[in-house]
């Protein structure tokens, strides 16, 4: 009987559109169509008998038929066998190189195309999963061989002169009792698993180490491997107590336009084996670890069954392991499952369980796509030249002045047509000169082949339409500004012809106000100084007094108008203050006496003299002696020359009227 082909194949094919493969989110490249499907490839490896485990009644229960199929005895009927067919079968005598070259090495090329790949080692405890992935110094496993070939590929593809620049980084983690632990940085604690807007699984805070050679990889990987949790059981002296995941990222950046960026991820996963606690003898902590391992593997089986049956919900989030494997099973990765089994009859139930899981996993459909995007920040902003910013007339004047200074006039170049516009590549002045020269040579080559400017190579349609629309809007805005400049120049020329008197004072950068608009100056505030009645009466009774305190005077004020040829005149009344020289001298002497003899309290009675300035005046007088004239106040800090005139006007009249200086 053929146990490798399930009975619900037809239901799986009908439900593929709604499975996890259909739910994977596409990147920018190929967003308009679904990527081609890629089935999960399954390889089975049968380990040889372990020395000292084979007994008289312990006979092998598994036998290989060819390179792709095997058979196992049916425990219900010993006269029948269960036959399984997979993508590859490796017997007891197969080497590490056979497994790597036959199943793992072909998927490394997908990383250079910006796609993801996964290699999972599955099987019961003691079946040889860690040996398959890590190996030994004499027989390296999948991980060291894959890293050695991948680094060699990146060096070849990223060499000088190639279109892409490549870089490789690595991260190493384990899932121990539903906790994501960073093996490169054990002190970071439990990490969380997130999903970005494009459906990619990521772990924020996970350590990434750049590697350029295999020596760099060993320097980071070997110490981190010793941080992995292992323990001894009855079946294995160094049993893995956690799921180990090695994540290798390959970043690619295009050296020429349109400066695309690709990212490919390689997951190398060593799963912990399912355990029968009755045979392993687990107790205490080992029993708790075994329960967490079996629980996560049970959820992994539920995910595979949900994908095959097309269920509306796939329980990825029920376990940290399945959440991390969301890209590998039903996602966007080229996945390889290496099922490790043991030949001993005492492992019969574990072997049948592993083969059934491998047969179900073979039916899972993934849809890998290229993770590609554009580096928009590489493009420098477009800078217009001075001639492009000036209008036609200003550009002509500037060109004429340059020709006069040089003394060798050159004929003006004809205006470029729409088909002869410069390429945007010639405006990238902030780039490296060598890179700019290569871009311009490519631009000239494309122009010689009849292309209109530099095409947007492999640019996504949505971004291409946005860029084209933006360029079109900028061109329309420039044309509109040029037309507006021409209209303003024509209006200025018309005004110069109508008013030739102002032509000499005209500046091109200054625009006149609109016509029929009258500009007037606000009327000044009228101020009057009121003198004491006693002083006015005494001055009036004196026969020789000719003191005129206030005098009303008429004054004409001009109104400017653009329509009238001559400005209009309007009579206006205003007040003007006039003080006789005798009164002015008397007031100045009063202020000088107060400055030399008055205290700080007396000085505060003066206008515009506060507490701070009064103390400054007293201190200056004690230090330098009496004031010789009122203008010496300018030498005191806080009293400037501009304040002296207003200070005299505010204080001289009151002091000249005979007011006593006292507290204010």
């Amino acid at each position: 009987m053929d146990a490798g082909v399930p009975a619900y194949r037809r239901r799986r094919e009908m439900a593929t559109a709604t499975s996890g493969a259909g739910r994977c989110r596409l990147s920018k490249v190929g967003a308009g169509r679904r990527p081609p499907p890629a089935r999960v490839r399954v390889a089975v490896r049968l380990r040889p008998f372990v020395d000292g485990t084979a007994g008289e009644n312990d006979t092998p229960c598994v036998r290989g038929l060819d390179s792709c199929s095997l058979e196992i005895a049916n425990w219900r009927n010993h006269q029948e066998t269960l036959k399984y067919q997979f993508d590859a079968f490796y017997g007891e005598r197969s080497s590490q190189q056979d497994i790597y070259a036959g199943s793992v090495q072909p998927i490394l090329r997908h990383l250079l195309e910006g796609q993801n790949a996964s290699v999972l080692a599955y099987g019961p405890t003691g079946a040889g999963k860690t040996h398959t992935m890590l190996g030994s110094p004499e027989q390296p496993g999948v991980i060291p061989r894959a890293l050695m070939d991948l680094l060699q590929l990146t060096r070849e593809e990223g060499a000088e002169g190639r279109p892409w620049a490549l870089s490789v980084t690595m991260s190493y983690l384990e899932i121990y009792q539903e906790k994501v632990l960073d093996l490169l940085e054990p002190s970071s604690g439990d990490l969380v698993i997130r999903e970005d807007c494009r459906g990619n699984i990521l772990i924020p805070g996970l350590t990434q180490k750049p590697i350029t050679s295999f020596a760099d990889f060993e320097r980071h990987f070997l110490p981190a491997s010793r941080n992995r949790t292992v323990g001894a059981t009855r079946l294995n002296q160094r049993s893995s107590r956690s799921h180990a995941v090695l994540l290798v990222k390959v970043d690619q950046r295009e050296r020429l336009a349109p400066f695309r960026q690709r990212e490919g991820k390689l997951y190398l996963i060593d799963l912990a084996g399912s355990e029968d606690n009755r045979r392993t003898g687990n107790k205490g902590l080992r029993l708790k670890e075994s329960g967490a391992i079996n629980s996560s593997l049970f959820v992994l089986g539920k995910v595979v069954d949900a994908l095959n049956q097309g269920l509306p919900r796939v329980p990825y989030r029920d376990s940290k392991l399945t959440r991390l494997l969301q890209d590998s099973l039903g996602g966007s990765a080229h996945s390889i499952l290496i099922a490790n089994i043991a030949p001993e009859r005492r492992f019969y139930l574990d072997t049948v369980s592993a083969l059934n899981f491998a047969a179900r996993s073979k039916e899972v459909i993934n849809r890998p796509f290229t993770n590609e995007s554009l580096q928009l920040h590489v493009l420098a902003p477009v800078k217009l030249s001075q001639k492009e910013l000036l209008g036609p007339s200003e550009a002509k004047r500037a060109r004429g002045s340059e020709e006069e200074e040089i003394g060798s006039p050159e004929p003006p170049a004809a205006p470029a047509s729409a088909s002869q516009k410069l390429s945007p590549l010639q405006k990238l002045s902030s780039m490296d000169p060598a890179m700019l020269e290569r871009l311009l040579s490519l631009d000239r080559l494309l122009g010689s082949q009849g292309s209109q400017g530099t095409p947007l190579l492999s640019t996504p349609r949505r971004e291409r339409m946005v860029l084209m629309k933006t360029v079109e809007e900028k061109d329309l805005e420039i044309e509109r500004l040029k037309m507006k400049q021409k209209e303003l120049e024509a209006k200025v020329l018309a005004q110069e012809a109508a008013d030739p008197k102002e032509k000499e004072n005209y500046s091109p950068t200054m625009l006149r106000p609109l016509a029929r608009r009258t500009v007037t100056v606000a009327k000044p505030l009228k101020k009057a100084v009121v003198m004491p009645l006693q002083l006015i009466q005494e001055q009036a009774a004196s026969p020789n007094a000719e003191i005129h305190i206030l005098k009303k005077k008429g004054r004409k004020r001009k109104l400017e108008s653009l329509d009238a040829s001559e400005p209009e005149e309007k009579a206006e009344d205003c007040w003007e203050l006039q003080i006789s020289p005798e009164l002015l001298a008397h007031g100045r002497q009063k202020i000088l006496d107060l400055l030399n003899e008055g205290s700080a309290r007396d000085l505060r009675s003066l206008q515009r003299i506060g507490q701070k300035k009064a103390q400054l005046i007293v201190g200056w007088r004690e230090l330098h002696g009496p004031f010789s004239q009122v203008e010496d106040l300018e030498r005191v800090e806080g009293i400037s020359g501009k304040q002296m005139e207003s200070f005299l006007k505010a204080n001289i009249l009151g002091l000249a009227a005979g007011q006593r200086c006292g507290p204010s």
Side-chain angles (χ1 to χ4, degrees):
M1 56 184 298
D2 191 359
V5 180
Y8 41 79
R9 179 190 296 270
R10 184 174 301 175
R11 283 184 297 171
R12 181 196 58 77
E13 294 176 354
M14 296 176 61
T16 301
T18 59
S19 65
R23 287 193 303 276
C24 67
R25 302 176 184 175
L26 306 182
S27 65
K28 296 181 180 179
V29 177
R33 56 185 179 181
R34 297 181 65 190
R39 181 176 53 84
V40 175
R41 299 179 61 84
V42 178
V44 177
R45 183 182 190 183
L46 177 64
R47 71 161 173 80
F49 276 92
V50 179
D51 296 338
T53 60
E56 296 179 357
N57 298 326
D58 199 358
T59 59
C61 60
V62 181
R63 185 183 64 168
L65 300 179
D66 52 30
S67 61
C68 295
S69 59
L70 59 93
E71 64 177 2
I72 185 173
N74 187 359
W75 64 279
R76 295 181 178 178
N77 188 353
H78 296 285
Q79 296 180 357
E80 295 180 357
T81 58
L82 302 176
K83 295 182 181 179
Y84 294 86
Q85 187 172 4
F86 301 100
D87 296 288
F89 172 73
Y90 302 98
E92 300 177 359
R93 298 183 178 180
S94 59
S95 63
Q96 300 277 55
Q97 176 63 24
D98 296 337
I99 298 172
Y100 171 74
S103 298
V104 180
Q105 192 176 25
I107 69 172
L108 297 182
R109 276 285 174 182
H110 297 297
L111 298 174
L112 302 183
E113 300 172 0
Q115 300 181 1
N116 300 335
S118 299
V119 180
L120 298 91
Y122 180 87
T125 181
K129 301 180 297 299
T130 304
H131 177 73
T132 300
M133 298 302 293
L134 296 180
S136 61
E138 297 78 16
Q139 291 291 329
V142 170
I143 291 179
R145 293 176 186 269
L147 265 296
M148 191 174 298
D149 287 354
L150 182 61
L151 292 172
Q152 180 64 26
L153 286 175
T154 55
R155 279 194 295 268
E156 294 175 357
E157 295 295 330
E160 191 68 26
R162 294 296 184 95
W164 295 88
L166 287 81
S167 61
V168 182
T169 60
M170 63 165 286
S171 301
Y172 197 23
L173 62 95
E174 70 172 355
I175 301 177
Y176 176 70
Q177 295 188 16
E178 289 302 303
K179 295 181 180 179
V180 180
L181 305 178
D182 190 353
L183 294 178
L184 293 174
E185 191 66 34
S187 61
S188 58
D190 188 14
L191 302 177
V192 295
I193 302 177
R194 295 285 184 253
E195 182 178 357
D196 63 5
C197 59
R198 295 186 296 176
N200 298 321
I201 301 299
L202 51 90
I203 303 177
L206 184 63
T207 304
Q208 295 186 12
K209 297 290 186 179
I211 53 176
T212 57
S213 62
F214 190 74
D216 293 342
F217 167 72
E218 286 184 326
R219 186 172 67 255
H220 300 304
F221 181 78
L222 294 180
S225 298
R226 291 191 287 269
N227 295 330
R228 186 182 178 185
T229 306
V230 295
T233 65
R234 291 180 182 178
L235 301 180
N236 192 352
Q237 292 298 322
R238 288 186 56 84
S239 175
S240 300
R241 315 311 296 167
S242 63
H243 309 292
V245 180
L246 176 64
L247 174 59
V248 182
K249 287 185 180 181
V250 179
D251 293 325
Q252 305 179 65
R253 287 177 172 81
E254 198 171 16
R255 292 190 171 102
L256 299 177
F259 306 105
R260 292 171 296 175
Q261 182 177 357
R262 292 176 179 175
E263 181 185 72
K265 295 186 292 185
L266 174 63
Y267 291 92
L268 299 171
I269 305 168
D270 180 14
L271 298 175
S274 58
E275 296 181 344
D276 186 353
N277 294 318
R278 293 172 296 182
R279 290 189 290 115
T280 57
N282 292 331
K283 296 180 181 180
L285 180 60
R286 294 291 175 262
L287 183 62
K288 186 177 180 181
E289 294 170 349
S290 176
I293 293 172
N294 291 338
S295 176
S296 61
L297 294 177
F298 175 72
V299 176
L300 180 62
K302 289 173 57 178
V303 168
V304 172
D305 292 339
L307 292 174
N308 290 334
Q309 297 175 20
L311 298 181
R313 177 184 179 274
V314 181
Y316 287 117
R317 296 177 180 268
D318 292 357
S319 172
K320 294 290 185 65
L321 175 64
T322 53
R323 180 65 167 158
L324 189 61
L325 295 181
Q326 188 169 343
D327 285 341
S328 304
L329 296 174
S332 59
H334 297 271
S335 297
I336 302 293
L337 176 67
I338 303 177
N340 294 262
I341 58 177
E344 293 86 358
R345 185 173 293 273
R346 58 196 178 99
F347 294 115
Y348 176 82
L349 294 179
D350 293 333
T351 300
V352 172
S353 177
L355 292 176
N356 289 335
F357 175 81
R360 300 197 309 272
S361 301
K362 190 179 64 172
E363 306 301 321
V364 176
I365 301 297
N366 292 350
R367 292 189 178 274
F369 58 84
T370 300
N371 299 302
E372 184 175 295
S373 60
L374 286 179
Q375 295 177 277
L376 299 179
H377 62 278
V378 174
L379 298 178
V382 178
K383 297 181 180 179
L384 297 178
S385 62
Q386 185 178 3
K387 294 183 179 180
E388 291 176 345
L389 293 175
L390 295 176
S393 60
E394 285 81 357
K396 185 176 180 181
R397 295 173 185 173
R399 186 167 57 250
S401 61
E402 291 177 359
E403 291 176 357
E404 292 177 0
E405 292 177 0
I406 297 175
S408 57
E410 298 178 0
S417 61
S419 61
Q420 297 175 350
K421 290 183 178 180
L422 294 178
S423 169
L425 294 177
Q426 299 186 12
K427 299 178 181 180
L428 305 179
S429 58
S430 62
M431 293 183 59
D432 183 73
M435 181 65 68
L436 182 60
E437 182 62 26
R438 296 176 66 180
L439 290 178
L440 292 178
S441 62
L442 177 61
D443 180 59
R444 288 191 294 268
L445 177 62
L446 294 174
S448 63
Q449 296 177 356
S451 61
Q452 301 295 332
T454 305
L456 300 175
L457 303 175
S458 302
T459 306
R461 185 175 184 274
R462 181 179 299 177
E463 293 189 1
R464 184 169 65 251
M465 297 301 295
V466 171
L467 291 175
M468 294 175 63
K469 185 177 180 180
T470 303
V471 173
E472 184 177 357
E473 291 177 355
K474 295 297 183 182
D475 292 340
L476 293 176
E477 182 69 16
I478 292 174
E479 294 296 331
R480 187 183 66 81
L481 293 176
K482 289 183 178 180
M483 294 298 296
K484 186 176 180 179
Q485 181 71 17
K486 290 181 180 179
E487 293 177 0
L488 294 176
E489 290 177 358
K491 184 180 294 185
V492 170
L493 293 176
Q495 291 179 358
E496 289 180 355
D499 192 2
K501 295 182 179 180
E502 297 184 2
K503 184 175 180 180
E504 297 179 356
N505 300 327
Y506 170 72
S507 176
T509 59
M510 299 176 60
L511 297 178
R512 292 187 176 185
L514 298 177
R516 299 185 179 276
R517 181 178 177 182
T518 303
V519 180
T520 60
V521 182
K523 296 181 179 180
L525 297 178
K526 298 180 179 180
K527 298 182 180 180
V529 178
V530 180
M531 298 296 296
L533 180 61
Q534 180 182 1
L535 177 61
I536 297 176
Q537 291 176 353
E538 292 178 357
Q539 292 175 355
S542 177
N544 299 326
E546 295 181 359
I547 302 176
H548 302 280
I549 303 303
L550 296 177
K551 180 180 180 181
K552 188 174 182 180
K553 181 180 179 181
R555 187 175 62 180
K556 293 182 179 180
R557 191 161 61 96
K558 295 182 179 180
L559 300 178
E560 297 180 0
S561 176
L562 295 178
D563 295 337
S565 59
E566 295 181 357
E568 299 178 357
E569 295 184 355
K570 181 180 179 181
E572 184 181 273
D573 295 335
C574 63
W575 296 91
E576 182 177 323
L577 178 64
Q578 295 181 355
I579 303 176
S580 65
E582 295 81 2
L583 182 61
L584 181 61
H586 181 71
R588 292 172 64 89
Q589 185 62 36
K590 284 277 189 178
I591 295 175
L592 183 61
D593 295 341
L594 186 61
L595 292 176
N596 291 328
E597 300 176 0
S599 62
R601 186 174 182 180
D602 297 335
L603 291 174
R604 288 202 305 270
S605 63
L606 294 175
Q607 298 291 333
R608 305 193 182 187
I609 297 295
Q611 177 68 23
K612 183 178 179 181
K613 290 185 178 180
Q615 293 177 355
L616 289 175
I617 293 173
V618 173
W620 190 91
R621 185 177 62 195
E622 294 177 355
L623 184 63
H624 300 281
F627 292 89
S628 59
Q629 55 182 352
V630 179
E631 282 73 8
D632 290 342
L633 281 175
E634 297 180 2
R635 301 168 60 183
V636 180
E637 182 180 1
I639 300 180
S640 61
K642 293 183 179 180
Q643 296 175 341
M644 181 57 63
E645 182 179 356
S646 60
F647 171 77
L648 291 175
K649 289 182 180 180
N651 293 282
I652 197 169
L653 294 176
L655 294 175
Q659 296 177 350
R660 294 295 181 183
C661 297
S664 57

